[in-house]
């Protein structure tokens, strides 16, 4: 992946815990490749090398096990650590424990060396990266920390970065997160079995489940986060709001208005008070909404990251939204609060320790949200009044201190910039994905601070915290976190989340393969990704797979840096991304002016303000070019595959490899276009009588550079179940597949949650009919037409994009929107195509350039491409016979020779006194300057260009023309010799065996497939031989160069009816050049017609016979002589001449009977003439 690289993988040998031996493990993982961390004893352990892909890791896992495969018993509340059951290798290492020394020196109480990362994706990748960095900077060796990760089959197959970067991975069940990363029992079992010191929960999954720290505490394993009781009370949004009200922090009107409570001895809100704030039924939801007022928010207290939250403006949508929240987070308490309009979403990043301290690391502005899912995050929150924001920080610190909060957390507020007032929103008892924004303005490493806090180190002894306050990082002085002022940020940071979502479909999540990610960090922008090249975003993953962070001295500097980074970011694969959309958002007036609020982005999406205005014809042409290019490549691939397997190539594939029909439907208009390949890199698209020619060049990453209509465009296309996903110059456009309007299909991968309309119900267009879960989000799908519904997939069923979910008996088929065919008069864009005959601004191109262009077209025709033959031949002859052709070759040679040419020779050329190759040779020999004659004898390379001109035109334009003819004819013969007289199957096998490679054999077959056009080319050239002497200003009796008759003889050797005419023409030309008198040839024809002599095959001299059939089929018969014998004095000669002529003309027909008689009654016959009746 061309992206920000993670820090180097830590060593593969893990220090054994002296107080907690590890349990038996299931299997071997990875390879040993790194030095052992200093420790009194160490367990040699096979680990996941970062050099291996996820698939390779899992394949390696199936190898020989080096450890036992004991399965531990299920963990209970009183579970004890199992005995050691693992093969170990003892190693003598230094007794110095630098981790323990560091912890002790900083006032901590527990060294943590081996960490289980109970998460995946972005969270796991960032944890390993940040903690390793801290270990290296602190100890000079990142191997003092060891990371074990959990890995589902989906993450392994997706080539997830966190698995590659971990020291060890444990394969866990796949599917939804309750099977793995949110499964508390599984996490605890894994932690015990792997002998870890601590568990890092990350964000999402089980990070806010109090059962996890409870179970880990009972197992003697440190949880890197708050205690269970605090997590329970503050992590629960309902309890947090009650506590905020109790602490007199302003709150928004909500379902628990006015409720206050003191914590119980167990650290929880009294249950009766808690339940009063909950919305427990649909009826309760209706009542609460009426009291609080619309618009209203419905929230699951355990939700987050856009999950388990819905906004409702209309009472009609209330019940459905309430049910969706319940579905996304089953079992979570639900509450409701009024939507605060024109508000900004501001956050304070807090960290508390077990010594009663709480620090606020400034804050973030996360107001750019879509469906309450953050899109951009920035810091510091410049919109807030500094005095008011400092009070927001202190409020967050007091709240966390009062309840003994330990670890990293985020206190969220709604802030009204106009009134400078704020309201408590919630407290997230975990680190958040946007925490690098805070790191960017404060210089702290938050995951490492989490780790040090979990080690028991006081906040004022942590180096990053002390630097934040401008103190000596190695000091131990106290810090009054409530009153001491930290160093204010000196720069601004803006972050963009990179997600697998489709902005054209309401940001629906997508999943699938990622072929390539290209991102280049710079001094002002960095980023990280959870997957790499040849990875994937699977259906159970979070939609976010990347995060970019841009910094600058001002907000505007950071914004511009982020725009540039998004322009350069490239993601290729099956997924959709919102990268282009984010780039447009950053350029809007509201974002630039910082006048946005939390509803701003949803308003833009609803109004489709950033939908783009690409010309429809440009989209259709681009889609047609991509489809045609794909078809041509695929057909050639099938041809090569057939040859490799020894099969007969398909004639259909041979045809479609050079010409095909493509259909494109866009904006409900169907276009049927004809695509033709004129060269390896040239394709024409024809629509009606309009033609567009494009030059295509495929890049190594699959991008097509297409030049047409005066511009070059970057195109990529991916065929998907719902249609083609076209990327045109960075803009993604869906070219839909046509479906029956009575079919309702899924546009996401996921699972059916429930029916919103039962079978037989009357469904209206635009109304939801089913709920599906895709990438942890529950969403309704809307009907595209009205009718009676019948479902095809049951609730719980797994679905893919394009799958049929339900069918409709249409309410009114006549009102269904129909696909219409294009109207040619509406296709104005093609009229801008420059005429092929238009000349460049500088006038007509030089003759040599035009000749080479004509030869290029000739060669393309001979390679099987479809170009007009006769115009090409006429252009070729025109340039061959032009004296300026020699002058062009001579000028080119002079330029190559340069100063090495003698001055007297150069003068002759400049004055135009050299017109032929012979004159050039003489002038070179006669040159008076220098030993030129001796140089010529030695074939000095300096004069090689001039010698080449002499050799080319040694027999003038006549000789060069026939040399050119010979090259073209030989090209024809070299292909057709493989097929003459053979069945196609046998010929194709011969081609495969004789060709140097399969692609070469494929090219021969494709050329042969265009035999008719290639034959036309050769016949046209042979037909022009009679005029060539006049064109070249030589006598018609000028002999051919000796190579040319040999070339004609090759044509005579081609057997089979496909080559009859061309062999005949070649034979006649050879006969004519023998110079026999006409009367002699006529007498020989009379003898042949009377059967006195037998015809012989020119190519092998064998007897062909002397009957009529032999005369009709003979390729060597002088057909031009037959009309001269129609009035021969001997009736048998005239009749036989007429019969042979007619049978040759109509040989494609089966002539059952042919009668020829003399007719003296009908018509007038002149003297010396007679009338024959057929």
């Amino acid at each position: 992946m061309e992206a920000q690289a993670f820090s180097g993988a830590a060593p593969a040998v893990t220090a054994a815990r002296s107080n907690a031996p590890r349990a038996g493990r299931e299997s071997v993982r990875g390879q040993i490749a790194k030095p052992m961390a200093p420790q009194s004893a160490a367990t040699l352990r096979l680990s996941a090398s970062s050099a291996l892909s996820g698939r390779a890791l899992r394949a390696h896992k199936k190898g020989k096990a080096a450890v036992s495969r004991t399965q531990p018993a299920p963990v209970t509340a009183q579970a004890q650590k199992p005995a050691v059951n693992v093969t170990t290798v003892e190693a003598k290492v230094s007794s110095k424990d630098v981790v323990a020394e560091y912890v002790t020196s900083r006032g901590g109480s527990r060294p943590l060396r081996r960490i289980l990362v109970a998460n995946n994706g972005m969270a796991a990748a960032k944890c390993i990266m940040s903690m390793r960095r801290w270990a290296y900077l602190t100890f000079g060796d990142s191997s003092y920390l060891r990371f074990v990760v959990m890995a589902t089959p989906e993450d392994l197959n997706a080539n997830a970065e966190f698995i590659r970067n971990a020291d060890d991975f444990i394969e866990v069940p796949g599917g939804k997160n309750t099977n793995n990363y949110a499964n508390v029992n599984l996490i605890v079992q894994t932690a015990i079995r792997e002998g870890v010191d601590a568990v890092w929960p990350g964000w999402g999954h089980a990070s806010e489940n109090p059962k996890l720290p409870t179970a880990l505490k009972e197992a003697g394993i440190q949880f890197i986060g708050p205690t269970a009781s605090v997590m329970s009370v503050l992590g629960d949004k309902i309890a947090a709001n009650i506590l905020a009200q109790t602490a007199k922090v302003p709150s928004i009107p909500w379902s628990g208005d006015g409720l206050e409570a003191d914590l119980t001895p167990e650290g929880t809100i009294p249950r009766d008070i808690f339940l009063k704030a909950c919305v427990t039924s649909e009826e309760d939801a209706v009542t609460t909404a009426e009291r609080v007022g619309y618009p209203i928010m419905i929230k699951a207290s355990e939700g987050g990251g856009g999950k388990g939250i819905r906004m409702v403006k209309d009472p009609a949508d209330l019940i459905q939204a309430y049910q969706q929240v319940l579905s996304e987070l089953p079992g979570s308490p639900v509450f409701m609060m009024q939507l605060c309009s024109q508000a900004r979403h501001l956050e304070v990043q807090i960290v508390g320790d077990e010594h009663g301290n709480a620090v606020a690391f400034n804050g973030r502005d996360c107001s750019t949200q879509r469906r309450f899912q953050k899109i951009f995050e920035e810091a510091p929150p410049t919109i807030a009044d500094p005095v008011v924001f400092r009070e927001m920080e202190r409020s967050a610190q007091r709240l966390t201190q009062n309840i003994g909060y330990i670890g990293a957390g985020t206190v969220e507020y709604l802030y009204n910039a106009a009134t400078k007032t704020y309201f408590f929103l919630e407290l997230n008892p975990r680190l958040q994905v946007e925490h690098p924004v805070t790191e960017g303005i404060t210089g702290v490493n938050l995951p490492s601070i989490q780790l040090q806090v979990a080690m028991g180190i006081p906040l004022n002894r942590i180096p990053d915290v002390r630097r934040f306050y401008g103190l000596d990082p190695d000091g131990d002085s106290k810090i009054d976190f409530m009153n001491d002022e930290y160093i204010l940020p000196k720069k601004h940071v803006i972050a963009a989340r990179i997600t697998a979502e489709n902005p054209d479909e309401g940001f629906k999540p997508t999943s699938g393969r990622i072929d390539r990610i290209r991102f280049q960090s710079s001094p002002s922008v960095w980023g990280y990704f959870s997957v790499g090249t040849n990875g994937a975003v699977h259906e159970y993953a979070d939609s976010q797979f990347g995060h970019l962070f841009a910094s600058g001295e001002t907000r505007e500097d950071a914004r511009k840096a982020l725009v540039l980074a998004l322009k350069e970011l490239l993601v290729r694969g099956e997924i959709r991304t919102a990268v282009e959309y984010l780039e447009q958002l950053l350029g809007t007036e509201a974002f630039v002016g910082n006048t946005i609020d939390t509803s701003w982005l949803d308003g833009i999406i609803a109004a489709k303000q950033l939908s783009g205005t690409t010309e429809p014809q440009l989209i259709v042409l681009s889609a047609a070019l991509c489809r045609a290019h794909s078809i041509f490549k695929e057909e050639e691939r099938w041809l090569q595959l057939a040859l490799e397997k020894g099969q007969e190539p398909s004639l259909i594939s041979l045809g479609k490899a050079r010409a095909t029909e493509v259909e494109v439907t866009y904006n409900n208009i169907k276009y049927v276009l004809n695509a033709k390949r004129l060269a390896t890199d040239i394709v024409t698209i024809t629509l009606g009588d309009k033609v567009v020619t494009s030059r295509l060049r495929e890049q190594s990453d699959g991008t097509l550079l297409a030049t047409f209509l005066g511009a070059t465009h970057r195109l990529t296309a991916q065929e998907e179940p719902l249609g083609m996903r076209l990327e045109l110059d960075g803009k993604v456009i869906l070219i839909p597949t046509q479906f029956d309007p009575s079919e309702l299909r899924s546009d996401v991968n996921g699972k059916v949650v429930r029916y919103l309309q039962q079978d037989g119900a009357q469904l209206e267009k635009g109304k939801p009919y089913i709920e599906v879960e895709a990438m942890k989000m529950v969403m309704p799908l809307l009907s595209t037409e009205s009718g009676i519904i019948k479902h095809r997939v049951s609730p719980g069923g797994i679905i893919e994009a394009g799958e049929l979910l339900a069918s409709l008996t249409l309410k009114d088929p006549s009102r269904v929107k129909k696909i219409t065919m294009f109207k040619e008069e509406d296709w104005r864009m093609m009229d801008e195509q420059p005429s092929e005959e238009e000349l460049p601004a500088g006038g007509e191109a030089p003759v040599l350039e035009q000749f080479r262009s004509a030869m290029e077209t000739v060669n393309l025709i001979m390679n099987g491409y479809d170009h007009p033959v006769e115009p090409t031949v006429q252009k070729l002859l025109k340039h061959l016979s032009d004296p300026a052709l020699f002058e062009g070759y001579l000028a080119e040679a002079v330029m190559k020779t340069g100063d090495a040419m003698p001055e007297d020779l150069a003068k002759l050329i400049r004055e135009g006194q050299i017109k032929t190759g012979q004159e050039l040779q003489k002038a070179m020999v006669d040159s008076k300057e220098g030993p030129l004659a001796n140089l010529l004898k030695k074939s000095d390379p300096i004069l090689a260009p001039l010698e080449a001109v002499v050799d080319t035109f040694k027999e003038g334009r006549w000789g060069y023309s026939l040399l050119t003819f010979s090259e073209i004819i030989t090209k024809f013969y070299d292909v057709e010799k493989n097929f003459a007289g053979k069945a196609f199957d046998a010929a194709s096998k011969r081609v495969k065996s004789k060709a140097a490679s399969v692609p070469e054999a494929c090219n021969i077959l494709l050329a042969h497939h265009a035999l008719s056009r290639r034959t036309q080319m050769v016949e046209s050239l042979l037909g022009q031989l009679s005029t060539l002497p006049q064109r070249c200003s030589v006598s018609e009796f000028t002999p051919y160069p000796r190579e040319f008759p040999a070339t004609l003889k090759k044509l005579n050797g081609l057997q089979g009816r496909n080559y009859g005419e061309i062999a005949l023409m070649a034979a006649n030309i050879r006969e004519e050049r023998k110079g026999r008198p006409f009367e002699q040839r006529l007498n020989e024809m009379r003898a042949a017609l009377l059967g006195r002599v037998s015809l012989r095959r020119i190519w092998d001299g064998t007897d062909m016979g002397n009957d009529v059939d032999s005369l009709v089929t003979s390729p060597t018969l002088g057909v031009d002589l037959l009309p001269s014998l129609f009035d021969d004095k001997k009736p048998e000669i005239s009749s036989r001449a007429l019969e042979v002529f007619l049978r040759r003309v109509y040989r494609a027909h089966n002539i059952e009977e042919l009668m020829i008689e003399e007719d003296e009654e009908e018509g007038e016959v002149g003297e010396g003439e007679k009338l024959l009746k057929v």
Side-chain angles (χ1 to χ4, degrees), residues 895-1046:
M895 183 173 62
K896 292 178 179 178
T897 305
D899 296 337
M901 182 180 297
E903 177 55 33
D904 61 339
L905 179 59
K907 182 179 179 181
L908 290 175
I909 295 174
R910 283 197 303 270
E911 293 174 352
Q913 297 185 38
I914 296 179
K915 301 292 186 182
T916 66
Q918 292 89 338
E919 291 176 356
L920 175 60
Q921 187 175 34
K922 184 176 184 303
M924 292 172 69
V925 173
D926 294 345
S927 176
K928 297 176 181 179
E929 290 192 19
L932 186 59
N934 292 332
L935 287 175
L936 286 172
K937 290 178 183 178
K938 298 177 182 178
S939 298
D940 192 284
I942 295 176
L943 301 177
L946 290 173
E947 292 177 349
V949 175
V950 170
D951 187 59
T952 300
F953 287 91
K954 60 186 177 184
E955 296 187 52
R957 284 177 285 135
W958 164 255
Y960 184 54
S961 296
L962 289 176
L963 175 64
T964 302
F965 278 32
S966 289
E967 290 176 354
I968 298 170
I969 293 171
T970 299
K971 195 174 183 70
F972 174 87
Y973 173 78
D974 286 343
V975 170
E976 299 310 322
K977 68 183 180 183
N978 298 287
F979 300 90
K982 301 179 184 69
F984 180 71
D985 185 25
S988 63
K989 291 179 180 178
R990 172 184 170 84
V991 168
K992 164 68 167 32
S993 65
K994 296 291 185 180
S997 65
V998 172
E1000 181 183 318
C1002 185
N1003 289 334
I1004 293 174
L1005 288 169
L1006 288 168
H1008 172 70
H1009 190 69
L1011 175 61
S1012 175
R1013 188 162 47 251
R1014 296 169 67 251
T1015 300
Q1016 183 186 353
M1017 166 64 71
V1018 175
E1019 289 178 348
S1020 180
L1021 291 176
L1022 294 178
Q1024 295 294 335
L1025 280 174
S1026 59
T1027 67
L1028 193 59
Q1030 182 180 358
R1031 290 175 182 269
C1032 296
S1033 303
V1034 298
S1035 167
E1036 60 179 318
F1037 298 109
T1038 302
Y1040 291 148
R1042 59 186 178 87
E1043 299 91 349
F1044 191 66

Side-chain angles (χ1 to χ4, degrees), residues 839-843:
L839 298 175

Side-chain angles (χ1 to χ4, degrees), residues 4 493-496 519-528 547-552 557-566:
Q4 174 73 26
V493 173
I494 304 178
F519 169 72
Q520 184 62 51
S521 294
S522 69
S524 58
V525 182
W526 78 281
Y528 73 104
H547 217 161
L548 302 189
F549 305 89
S551 63
D557 290 340
R559 186 192 68 82
K560 289 179 178 178
L562 186 55
V563 169
L564 292 175
L566 290 171

